[in-house]
């Protein structure tokens, strides 16, 4: 494959302006992430120390093989919810290497309200188990939770994708012969007791670990029986009487050591044979992305310049380079793995939609994973385009993408608006992983379009009612809408709601994709097939 010829002038005023603006964005992102990961009230740190417990991230670090990477997911989940009281949604999730095996890790963060599950905590755990199911990845649960956050119990317990989904996913993992290990460092109460109960193996720490459907206060309230924690659900009782737990451990260090020994016994499923070459670094410096990405969401840029700083050797075989030019399609390698890339270079027209659909069919035929690089305002609208069948052609693209049998990965590089999000494999279309960048915005339409649309609707309403047009009222509507809309468009709102798998520094995205692609190859490919294409 030929190397992309970059046209970027790193000495230009525009490049320097973009770079400076992006470095400010990154400073904000890193500050938010550092606080979510490490900043805790001193009283909570001291509480864990008094109990002889490690900090949750220390547990994860000791579990992982030394010197191996950890792909943390949704590190800023819930960053705009609960008054900031649940950093990271009180959960750590990610993919790492334990005893030479790729595993999903779910760790309760007991430094936040005893590890209580907020609604978004549950969503984050469910997402981690979805990832395990989608990619045939074993799971290690690091359990230490006070249970559901009772003031918000109606958002934690009853519905389809709430806490019950955690245990449903555990059952499906077991059915699929995907292994699970639970390390019980603290209390597993009520529904949380089923995490070790539904795991293939579990280890419980003597003195701090406990598993019970109802703790001592609830038992007394419900039955009048007075019983202590150890007698009710402690390590010795469960490993010698009930058989609910398998291994007692004298300390957290011993529990982790036993856990690593258990994982070392697991077989390594073969990966399917995706094409691969020897990995090489991009020819162009990935840090140049900071000056390529514009300082305004409405400014355009050539996505080839992004591709050149993400793929091996900056080499790219572009498919149909002179047709449907607002959608770039082509083949490259990321950390050696062959991938098919679809990247937006403008609005999706009829020809670019058809090109994308055809290219995805080729990738499915060739067993090549798909990477979508989104910067999309949507599909083109208007009388002429409807007469040419833009809805029909967009539907072809969505059909080809939805029914793809190869793994799909999405990176939100800039804007993601309207149905373009759908065709380019947004969250609703089950990409194996979806990452965003700090500059990302997502919505039904851009902020200015939304503001003007609502203002036009209000003016039309006034005219129908024979009201005098109140310019002050219209301007107030514009400003109120703009402020609310811009907040909800932001990458921080998106990741707070777990609409993605985490914000990435653009420079780190190549590594994240490399780990994600490698993990995805544990799940065998299904049969190729599509629904009806409307011709």
């Amino acid at each position: 494959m030929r190397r992309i010829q970059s046209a970027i002038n790193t000495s230009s005023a525009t490049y320097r302006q973009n770079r400076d603006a992006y470095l400010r964005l990154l400073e904000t992102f890193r500050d938010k992430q550092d606080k979510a990961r490490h900043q805790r009230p001193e009283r909570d740190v001291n509480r864990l120390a008094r109990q002889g417990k490690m900090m949750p991230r220390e547990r994860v670090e000791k579990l992982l093989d030394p010197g191996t990477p950890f792909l943390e997911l949704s590190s800023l989940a819930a960053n705009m919810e609960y008054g900031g009281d649940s950093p990271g949604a009180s959960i750590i999730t990610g993919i790492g290497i334990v005893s030479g095996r790729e595993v999903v890790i779910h760790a309760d963060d007991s430094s936040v309200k005893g590890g209580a599950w907020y609604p978004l905590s549950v969503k984050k755990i469910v997402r981690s188990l979805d990832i395990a199911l989608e990619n045939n990845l074993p799971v290690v649960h690091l359990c230490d939770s006070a249970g559901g956050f009772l003031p918000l119990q109606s958002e934690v317990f009853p519905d389809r994708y709430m806490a019950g989904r955690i245990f449903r996913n555990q059952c499906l993992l077991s059915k699929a012969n995907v292994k699970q290990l639970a390390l019980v460092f603290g209390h597993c109460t009520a529904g949380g007791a089923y995490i070790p109960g539904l795991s293939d193996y579990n280890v419980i720490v003597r003195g701090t670990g406990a598993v019970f459907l109802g703790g001592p206060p609830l038992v007394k309230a419900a039955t009048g029986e007075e019983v202590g924690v150890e007698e009710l659900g402690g390590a010795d009782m469960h490993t010698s009487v009930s058989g609910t737990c398998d291994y007692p451990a004298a300390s957290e260090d011993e529990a982790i050591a036993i856990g690593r020994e258990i994982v070392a016994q697991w077989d390594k499923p073969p990966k399917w044979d995706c094409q691969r070459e020897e990995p090489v670094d991009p020819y162009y410096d990935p840090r140049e992305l900071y000056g390529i990405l514009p300082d305004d969401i409405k400014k355009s840029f050539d996505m080839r310049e992004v591709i050149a700083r993400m793929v091996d050797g900056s080499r790219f075989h572009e498919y149909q380079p002179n047709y449907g030019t607002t959608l770039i399609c082509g083949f490259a390698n990321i950390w050696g793995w062959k991938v098919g890339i679809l990247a937006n270079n403008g609005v999706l027209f009829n020809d670019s939609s058809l090109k994308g659909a055809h290219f995805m069919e080729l990738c499915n035929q060739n067993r090549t994973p798909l990477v979508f690089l989104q910067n999309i305002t949507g599909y083109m609208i208007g009388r002429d385009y409807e007469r040419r069948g833009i809805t029909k052609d967009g539907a072809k693209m969505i059909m080809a993408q939805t029914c793809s049998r190869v793994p799909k990965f999405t990176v939100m590089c800039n804007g993601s608006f309207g149905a373009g999000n759908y065709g380019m494999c947004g969250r609703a279309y089950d990409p194996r992983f979806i990452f965003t960048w700090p500059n990302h915005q997502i919505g039904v339409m851009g902020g200015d379009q939304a503001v003007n649309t609502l203002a036009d609707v209000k003016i039309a309403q006034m005219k129908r009612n024979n009201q005098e047009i109140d310019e002050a009222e219209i301007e107030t509507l514009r400003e109120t809408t703009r402020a609310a809309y811009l907040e909800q468009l932001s990458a921080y709102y998106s990741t707070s709601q777990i609409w993605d798998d985490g914000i990435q520094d653009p420079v780190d995205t190549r590594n994240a994709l490399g780990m994600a692609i490698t993990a995805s190859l544990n799940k065998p490919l299904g049969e190729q097939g599509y629904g009806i294409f409307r011709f």
Side-chain angles (χ1 to χ4, degrees):
M1 286 186 284
R2 286 174 289 182
R3 182 187 303 149
I4 292 173
Q5 296 301 307
S6 176
I8 294 298
N9 177 6
T10 58
S11 300
S12 72
T14 299
Y15 177 90
R16 293 197 302 271
Q17 179 177 315
N18 288 342
R19 181 197 60 202
D20 292 345
Y22 212 94
L23 290 176
R24 289 192 294 271
L25 279 179
L26 283 177
E27 185 177 359
T28 299
F29 164 59
R30 289 167 181 159
D31 181 61
K32 286 178 179 289
Q33 190 170 68
D34 184 70
K35 288 178 179 176
R37 286 173 169 172
H38 304 296
Q39 188 170 300
R40 298 291 183 272
E42 188 176 352
R43 66 178 183 277
D44 291 318
V45 176
N46 292 338
R47 170 176 54 82
L48 294 183
R50 286 196 306 272
Q51 295 171 346
K53 292 182 175 182
M54 300 180 195
M55 291 294 286
R57 288 185 181 276
E58 187 180 358
R59 292 170 179 163
V60 172
E61 186 176 342
K62 290 201 171 191
L63 177 69
L64 295 170
D65 290 358
T68 60
F70 178 58
L71 177 58
E72 185 173 357
L73 303 172
S74 300
S75 62
L76 289 176
N79 77 92
M80 295 178 70
E81 297 293 324
Y82 319 126
D85 286 345
S86 181
S90 309
I91 301 290
I92 302 165
T93 62
I95 296 175
I97 310 297
V98 177
S99 297
R101 279 81 175 161
E102 291 169 294
V103 302
V104 168
I105 294 173
H106 146 230
D108 297 319
D109 190 344
S110 51
S111 69
V112 181
K113 295 190 183 300
W117 291 350
Y118 285 76
L120 285 169
S121 310
V122 170
K123 186 175 182 180
K124 187 169 176 178
I125 299 170
V126 170
R127 173 59 186 153
S128 71
L129 297 181
D130 283 342
I131 288 170
L133 283 165
E134 291 165 357
N135 299 284
N136 275 10
L137 290 172
V139 182
V140 179
H141 305 273
L142 308 185
C143 304
D144 190 357
S145 172
F149 185 64
L150 292 180
L152 298 175
Q153 65 85 26
S154 65
E155 300 173 49
V156 170
F157 173 70
D159 206 357
R160 182 177 183 183
Y161 291 102
M162 293 183 183
R165 197 76 173 186
I166 297 171
F167 317 123
R168 173 261 195 191
N169 279 4
Q170 284 192 271
C171 294
L172 292 182
L173 284 165
S174 185
K175 178 182 177 181
N177 196 29
V178 179
K179 299 168 182 64
Q180 295 178 79
L181 163 67
L183 303 180
V184 181
F185 297 111
H187 288 190
C188 294
T189 308
Y194 290 112
I195 286 187
L198 289 168
S199 294
D200 305 289
Y201 308 82
N202 61 53
V203 183
I204 183 169
V205 178
R206 188 178 283 116
T208 56
V211 177
F212 30 55
L213 295 182
L218 181 57
V219 170
K220 183 177 181 181
T223 69
E225 180 183 11
E226 294 193 11
V227 61
V229 169
E230 290 301 312
E231 183 184 1
L232 183 64
D236 289 328
M237 191 283 288
H238 274 315
T239 57
S240 63
V241 178
S242 75
T244 299
C245 297
D246 302 321
Y247 303 87
S251 66
E252 294 197 0
D253 277 315
E254 185 181 12
I256 292 170
I258 294 171
R260 286 180 51 80
E261 290 176 5
I262 291 168
V263 175
Q265 313 312 311
W266 295 349
D267 60 341
K268 294 182 180 181
K271 297 179 183 292
W272 59 269
D273 57 340
C274 180
Q275 291 185 60
R276 195 177 194 201
E277 299 176 2
E278 191 66 27
V280 294
D281 292 336
Y283 176 80
Y284 300 105
D285 187 348
R287 290 174 296 184
E288 292 174 357
L289 287 169
Y290 301 149
I292 292 168
L293 298 165
D295 60 358
D296 186 329
I297 197 79
K298 291 175 286 192
K299 292 180 180 178
S300 63
F301 61 98
D302 188 351
M303 194 66 86
R304 292 177 187 84
E305 300 289 358
V306 172
I307 295 170
R309 288 153 182 86
M310 290 178 66
V311 303
D312 291 12
S314 303
R315 296 190 297 267
F316 184 60
H317 173 79
E318 187 167 350
Y319 173 72
Q320 289 190 329
N322 298 324
Y323 178 73
T325 55
T326 59
L327 182 67
I328 299 169
C329 300
F331 298 100
N333 294 73
I334 295 177
W335 278 102
W337 301 114
K338 176 65 63 63
V339 296
I341 294 176
L342 295 92
N344 302 118
N345 241 23
V347 67
L348 288 163
F349 290 96
N350 299 74
D351 54 2
S352 45
S353 301
L354 293 171
K355 172 181 170 179
H358 191 177
F359 180 71
M360 284 185 273
E361 289 181 308
L362 296 177
C363 289
N364 277 275
Q365 180 191 62
N366 200 42
R367 298 160 57 93
T368 303
L370 292 165
V371 175
F372 296 84
L373 304 179
Q374 283 206 21
N375 178 31
I376 182 63
T377 56
Y379 290 92
M380 190 61 192
I381 60 175
R383 182 186 61 185
D384 289 346
Y385 299 100
E386 293 294 353
R387 290 174 67 87
R388 294 178 205 168
I390 185 62
T391 300
K392 185 172 63 175
D393 293 339
K396 292 187 183 75
M397 182 177 175
I398 291 172
M399 177 70 75
Q401 184 265 105
T402 302
C403 298
S404 290
R405 65 171 180 154
V406 295
K408 301 178 292 187
F409 308 88
T410 301
V411 181
M412 302 292 200
C413 299
N414 203 38
S416 179
F417 299 109
N421 170 275
Y422 301 163
M424 291 295 293
C425 198
R427 175 63 109 189
Y429 293 83
D430 295 327
R432 297 291 182 93
F433 296 86
I434 182 168
F435 302 115
T436 62
W437 288 352
N439 54 301
H440 167 58
Q441 290 185 10
I442 184 169
V444 173
M445 59 183 74
D448 288 341
Q449 293 94 320
V451 168
N452 292 331
T453 298
L454 287 174
D456 289 345
V457 168
K458 183 66 175 179
I459 290 169
Q461 182 185 63
M462 287 178 167
K463 288 179 178 178
R464 282 198 307 272
N465 296 333
N466 296 317
Q467 291 177 276
E468 184 178 345
I469 305 300
D470 187 335
E471 293 296 341
E473 183 180 349
I474 297 298
E475 187 57 31
T476 299
L477 175 65
R478 288 180 189 276
E479 292 306 313
T480 303
T481 302
R482 182 178 287 108
Y485 210 83
L486 287 178
E487 178 179 290
Q488 294 183 9
L489 285 176
S490 77
Y492 294 111
Y493 188 88
S494 172
T495 206
S496 180
Q497 298 298 318
I498 318 182
W499 296 345
D500 54 53
D501 295 313
I503 298 176
Q504 293 283 336
D505 181 331
V507 169
D508 296 333
T509 305
R510 168 180 159 81
N511 292 339
L513 284 173
M515 290 188 69
I517 294 166
T518 302
S520 76
L521 303 180
N522 292 301
K523 183 72 172 263
L525 291 182
E527 293 297 317
Q528 186 171 325
Y530 300 98
I532 299 298
F533 287 95
R534 185 176 293 275
F535 291 103

